[in-house]
Amino acid sequence: MARVYLSLGSNQEPHRYLPIAIEELRARFGDIDVSPAYRSAAVGFDGADFVNLAVGLDTELSPTELNDWLHALEDRHGRRRDVPRYADRTLDVDIVLYDDLVAQGSGHLDIPRKELKHAFVLKPIVDIAPDIRHPLSGKTMRELWAGFPVASEPLVVVEL
């Protein structure tokens, strides 16, 4: 079994789509850790604010199999793939960390996820796994957050 951390986000009806995604992750993977949810500005394009959170889970799926399963989850809930990659979305679920693996693959598989440099990915993971280490830098998530310029990417805790 691998320990995996996912980033979930939505800027189209996040109070609808994020709880549904969490339910489906629980149904498939059992006991999961879920961070608080945070509202933040869209990054990479002009769009509505996103709500993001992190999930930690254990899986027997390979990174590619998990990525395919997550894409199917997004697709079931209205994720459009016929628009620019950086656009509004109902659901975005990415593998951020998969044990201490470093890998790239098809379907935008990129582990560790480069978006870990942003508050909307890093802070939720810090909330549920502060002591895990980044497989490249060796720093813990807590150490990465301690060095983060928090004012540059403000987050607001929101209820789902």
Side-chain angles (χ1 to χ4, degrees):
M1 294 290 266
R3 185 66 179 171
V4 176
Y5 294 91
L6 308 175
S7 175
L8 284 72
S10 173
N11 75 338
Q12 293 180 328
E13 297 184 71
H15 291 82
R16 172 183 174 193
Y17 289 108
L18 292 173
I20 288 170
I22 291 167
E23 272 183 41
E24 288 200 36
L25 288 166
R26 279 193 177 112
R28 172 59 180 87
F29 299 101
D31 190 33
I32 62 174
D33 296 322
V34 181
S35 77
Y38 295 92
R39 179 176 304 281
S40 64
V43 173
F45 70 99
D46 289 329
D49 286 354
F50 271 80
V51 175
N52 291 90
L53 56 89
V55 167
L57 57 84
D58 296 311
T59 183
E60 76 289 350
L61 297 176
S62 71
T64 301
E65 292 167 332
L66 178 59
N67 202 44
D68 290 346
W69 191 92
L70 295 172
H71 282 177
L73 170 67
E74 293 171 338
D75 293 347
R76 282 192 301 278
H77 298 290
R79 173 72 184 263
R80 294 190 50 203
R81 302 205 188 269
D82 61 340
V83 296
R85 181 159 181 231
Y86 295 104
D88 293 326
R89 56 197 66 170
T90 56
L91 190 58
D92 185 30
V93 185
D94 295 314
I95 303 168
V96 179
L97 298 164
Y98 185 104
D99 282 341
D100 59 357
L101 185 67
V102 176
Q104 280 87 33
S106 62
H108 302 291
L109 184 65
D110 191 16
I111 303 169
R113 197 83 185 170
K114 289 179 181 41
E115 288 87 351
L116 199 48
K117 68 183 179 185
H118 291 292
F120 68 89
V121 175
L122 180 58
K123 177 60 170 125
I125 291 180
V126 170
D127 290 338
I128 60 174
D131 298 320
I132 62 164
R133 295 191 177 276
H134 191 287
L136 295 172
S137 73
K139 292 184 178 182
T140 66
M141 296 299 114
R142 183 188 332 268
E143 289 168 333
L144 291 173
W145 184 246
F148 191 86
V150 177
S152 69
E153 293 184 21
L155 299 174
V156 177
V157 177
V158 295
E159 292 293 321
L160 285 182

